[in-house]
């Protein structure tokens, strides 16, 4: 039996016992992380460089890409390192840092998706007030509130979780450090209840965001169905469905992972669900959401054409 004062490291859940499968997981995670870094990097560059994307939606897309990059860079590198070097350890401070940054970026992403839902609601239901309700100052305040709330949430959870005495060993049933799996190692009933209280508070906030999203989309669909032309309805739906798809993937996997019945719980299922909500959305968000936007496509095409033209000019001038 150990306690938190003597713990120097945790044991993470391995993806496989066989060396061949460990290497397969390494290459798979490398491909996913490179795709996510490339796609989100392109979105960041396009939004920053193209004046046509200096809009509220472009601003929120830039923030969303930052959270996606943060999520990928928090969980995947350590998992790749462990698979490549056939180890499962993570240091005590490394685990605390990983938990803080994952909670920070995943919370910020959810709050930003809620704000982006508000953006779609105003754009479709109150188009005449779009410039007033979503001016540059209002957008900056909403984004700052999302980041600040996420930071406070991550700080409180991390500080409380790692203040608990741990006496149930150091093996985590997860491939990265996550609050529920660390709580299972705690032997403090009062600390456990305190952390559950914090989780309840953030769950109420998340549920409030969920109710707002449902209400907004009900109003959006009612407004879209009143559009007389089929082309207009299709255009309006096309701006909302990618956001709804990303949000549904993110929320459904996270909710099922946290609320699934204990009778169907298993290490393999927990591992698959954790990959689905922590790794897959950051890689798919640019493809599902941003790259379906014609303005983003045009900006990326213009940026790539400019890069190639500059490279060719440089090559010929050097020759």
């Amino acid at each position: 039996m150990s306690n938190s004062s003597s713990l120097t490291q945790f044991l993470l859940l391995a993806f496989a016992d066989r060396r061949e499968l460990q290497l397969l997981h390494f290459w798979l995670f490398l491909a996913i992380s490179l795709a996510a870094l490339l796609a989100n990097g392109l979105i960041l560059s396009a939004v920053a460089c193209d004046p046509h994307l200096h809009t509220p939606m472009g601003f929120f897309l830039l923030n969303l890409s930052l959270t996606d990059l943060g999520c990928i860079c928090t969980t995947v590198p350590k998992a790749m390192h462990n698979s490549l070097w056939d180890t499962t350890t993570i240091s005590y401070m490394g685990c605390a840092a990983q938990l803080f940054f994952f909670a920070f970026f995943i919370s910020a992403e959810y709050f930003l998706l809620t704000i982006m839902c508000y953006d779609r609601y105003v754009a479709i239901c109150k188009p005449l007030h779009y410039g007033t309700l979503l001016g540059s100052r209002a957008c900056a305040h909403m984004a700052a509130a999302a980041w600040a709330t996420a930071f406070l949430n991550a700080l409180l959870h991390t500080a409380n979780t790692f203040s608990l005495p741990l006496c149930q060993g150091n093996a985590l049933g997860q491939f990265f450090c996550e609050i529920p799996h660390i709580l299972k190692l705690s032997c403090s009933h009062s600390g456990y209840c305190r952390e559950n209280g914090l989780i309840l508070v953030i769950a109420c906030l998340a549920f409030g965001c969920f109710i707002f999203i449902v209400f907004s989309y009900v109003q959006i669909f009612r407004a879209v169905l009143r559009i007389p032309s089929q082309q207009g309805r299709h255009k309006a739906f096309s701006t909302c469905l990618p956001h709804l798809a990303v949000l549904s993937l993110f929320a459904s996997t996270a909710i099922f992972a946290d609320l699934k019945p204990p009778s169907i719980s298993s290490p393999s299922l927990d591992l698959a669900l954790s990959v689905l909500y922590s790794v897959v959305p950051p890689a798919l968000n640019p493809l599902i959401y941003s790259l379906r936007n014609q303005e983003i496509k045009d900006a990326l095409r213009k940026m790539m054409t400019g890069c190639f033209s500059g490279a060719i000019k440089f090559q010929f001038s050097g020759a």
Side-chain angles (χ1 to χ4, degrees), residues 16-33:
D17 296 326
R18 292 174 54 188
R19 186 61 184 152
E20 296 83 359
L21 292 177
Q22 289 177 345
L23 292 176
L24 177 62
H25 285 119
F26 168 79
W27 289 110
L28 180 61
F29 267 16
L30 179 62
I32 292 175
S33 59

Side-chain angles (χ1 to χ4, degrees), residues 158-202:
T158 305
N160 187 67
T161 300
F162 282 89
S163 68
L164 301 177
L166 307 177
C167 57
Q168 305 293 330
N170 66 340
L172 301 176
Q174 182 60 285
F175 80 95
F176 65 97
C177 292
E178 200 176 25
I179 293 171
H181 295 276
I182 298 177
L183 289 181
K184 292 178 182 179
L185 306 180
S186 172
C187 51
S188 171
H189 180 71
S190 61
Y192 188 86
C193 292
R194 187 169 63 248
E195 177 58 28
N196 281 337
L198 285 174
I199 292 175
L200 181 62
V201 171
I202 195 63

